[in-house]
């Protein structure tokens, strides 16, 4: 691996840019939530199609992350990091200036594509900056991991502020000056060079996995409207499954695949990615429906709803930065991953006791802290194992896989849990009894996902500690 290492102080500025990238990737998924009603009026979305403002971004992001990781390995992570920010800025301009539904969705797809280049390159750059020092690496991973929940909460909070005091296009346009700033300062703070990987780009594999994920998520989301007995639902789901199976076959037979399947022979790589899938599948639906409960049942406006999530965000950031590294150092990654998933499931079970006439301090505050603590324990060790288990020259691929795991888990988890919530009354706006029942069912479903992770992940763990990145003492 060749690189131009920045100075010691510049490395920590590099970490700031990497954490900012993670912050923005997650924020762009959540910032549109409060703005959706006004976008529906201005652009002419139907109630069902409105969900695709979220789905278009997440599917493009999740479907193209493997391609982003491969491009990072082939052409250098700093170059792909910069390219991703350019595409994100262009997509943000298109989405912010859109005057109709197709252009808006095009902008969101471009945003997702840009983020799919940024995310794996950012993780690879982090390994290049800090991988030689295990103590610093664990700290850097903690800061990087903490940027995700901060971005999710900031998206809700900023989306409400921007929509209320400016206008909805600025939830997208705010990305443009940030992207320009990053592009101006990144060259001195981030290392250049390539990782030593050679070969071509598997375009067919990238298209197959992206369209397959899109069809699968479309089928699950569409089931809320068309019904689970509808041929449309099962044709879409079946097409998605077929394309994803075809993707695996292509990766097995192609000489230079997008994702070398044998990479999963690396110790614990599969277990760590399974943990990330189920963490995303439990956490994102929790965050989504807790926000809806605060606004649609308890009557919070956008600003108080965002503020109500701040204690959860602060705890998860402290847990990732301060607590998780010490637990990893003491017992290795397996125990905190499993324990975190169990605690997440317990918190979601408590959250399911929400009441239509409840209040924030009784119904939401306590369980939100429990789920935040569980997520903080499980996220950092699973992320570190997923990255450190792969060979250095495939750091971009490993980064792409773990980001894909979390984003795909989030998209499918949200689609499944949303279908469960709708089946228990979550679509009956104005009826707080029905909404509460639906949201309670959503929290139970998310808790089952977390509990499944606590049961399944230990079955695939083969060692107690990550292969390269040892934790702090």
């Amino acid at each position: 691996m060749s690189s131009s290492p920045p100075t010691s102080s510049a490395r920590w500025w590099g970490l700031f840019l990497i954490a900012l990238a993670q912050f923005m990737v997650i924020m762009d998924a959540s910032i549109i939530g409060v703005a959706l009603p006004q976008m529906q009026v201005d652009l002419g979305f139907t109630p069902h199609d409105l969900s695709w403002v979220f789905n278009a971004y997440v599917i493009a992001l999740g479907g193209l992350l493997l391609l982003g990781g491969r491009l990072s390995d082939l052409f250098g992570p700093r170059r792909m990091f910069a390219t991703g920010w350019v595409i994100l800025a262009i997509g943000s301009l298109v989405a912010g200036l859109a005057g109709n539904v197709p252009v808006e969705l095009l902008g969101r797809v471009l945003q997702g594509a840009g983020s799919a280049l940024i995310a794996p390159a950012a993780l690879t750059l982090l390994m290049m900056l800090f991988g030689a020092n295990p103590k610093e690496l664990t700290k850097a991973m903690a800061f990087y991991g903490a940027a995700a929940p901060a971005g999710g909460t900031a998206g809700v909070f900023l989306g409400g502020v921007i929509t209320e005091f400016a206008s909805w296009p600025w939830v997208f346009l705010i990305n443009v000056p940030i992207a320009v700033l990053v592009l101006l300062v990144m060259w001195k703070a981030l290392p250049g060079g390539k990782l030593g990987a050679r070969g071509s780009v598997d375009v067919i594999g990238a298209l197959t996995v992206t369209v397959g994920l899109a069809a699968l998520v479309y089928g699950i989301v569409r089931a809320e409207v068309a019904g689970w007995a509808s041929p449309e639902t099962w044709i879409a789901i079946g097409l998605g499954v077929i394309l994803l199976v075809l993707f695996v076959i292509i990766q097995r037979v192609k000489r230079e695949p997008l994702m070398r399947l044998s990479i999963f022979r690396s110790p614990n790589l599969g277990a760590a990615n399974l943990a990330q899938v189920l963490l995303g599948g439990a956490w994102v639906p929790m965050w989504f429906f807790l926000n809806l409960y605060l606004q649609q049942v308890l009557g919070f406006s956008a600003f108080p709803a965002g503020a109500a999530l701040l204690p959860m965000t602060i705890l998860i950031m402290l847990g990732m930065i301060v607590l998780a590294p010490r637990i990893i150092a003491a017992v290795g990654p397996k125990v905190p991953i499993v324990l975190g998933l169990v605690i997440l499931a317990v918190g979601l079970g408590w959250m399911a006791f929400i009441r239509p006439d409840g209040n924030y301090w009784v119904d939401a505050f306590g369980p939100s802290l429990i789920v935040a603590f569980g997520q903080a324990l499980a996220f950092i060790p699973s992320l570190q194992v997923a990255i450190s288990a792969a060979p250095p020259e495939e750091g971009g691929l490993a980064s792409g896989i773990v980001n894909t795991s979390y984003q795909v888990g989030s998209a499918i988890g949200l689609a499944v849990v949303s279908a469960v919530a709708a089946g228990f009354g979550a679509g009956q706006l104005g009826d707080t009894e029905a909404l509460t029942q639906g949201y309670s069912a959503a929290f139970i479903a998310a808790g089952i996902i977390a509990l499944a992770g606590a049961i399944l992940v230990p079955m695939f763990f083969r060692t107690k500690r990550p292969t390269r990145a040892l934790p702090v003492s």
Side-chain angles (χ1 to χ4, degrees), residues 38-45 53 89-111 167-173:
Q38 191 59 50
M39 292 174 65
Q40 181 178 0
V41 173
D42 291 350
L43 299 180
F45 278 96
V53 180
I90 293 171
S92 299
L93 279 171
V94 172
L97 301 177
N100 56 59
V101 170
V103 176
E104 180 62 44
L105 296 183
L106 172 62
R108 289 295 279 169
V109 168
L110 287 173
Q111 284 188 305
S167 58
W168 68 260
W170 282 100
V171 302
F172 304 115
L173 297 176

Side-chain angles (χ1 to χ4, degrees), residues 159-224:
V161 172
I162 291 171
T163 303
E164 185 169 345
F165 296 106
S167 58
W168 68 260
W170 282 100
V171 302
F172 304 115
L173 297 176
I174 192 176
N175 292 337
V176 178
I178 296 174
V180 172
L181 180 62
V182 170
L183 290 168
L184 288 175
V185 303
M186 60 171 282
W187 305 102
K188 291 185 177 181
L190 298 175
K194 300 180 182 179
L195 299 175
R198 299 178 180 273
S200 60
V201 178
D202 179 13
V203 177
I204 295 177
L207 289 174
T208 303
V209 68
T210 304
V211 176
L213 289 172
L216 183 61
V217 173
Y218 174 83
I220 297 172
V221 172
R222 185 62 183 168
E224 297 181 37

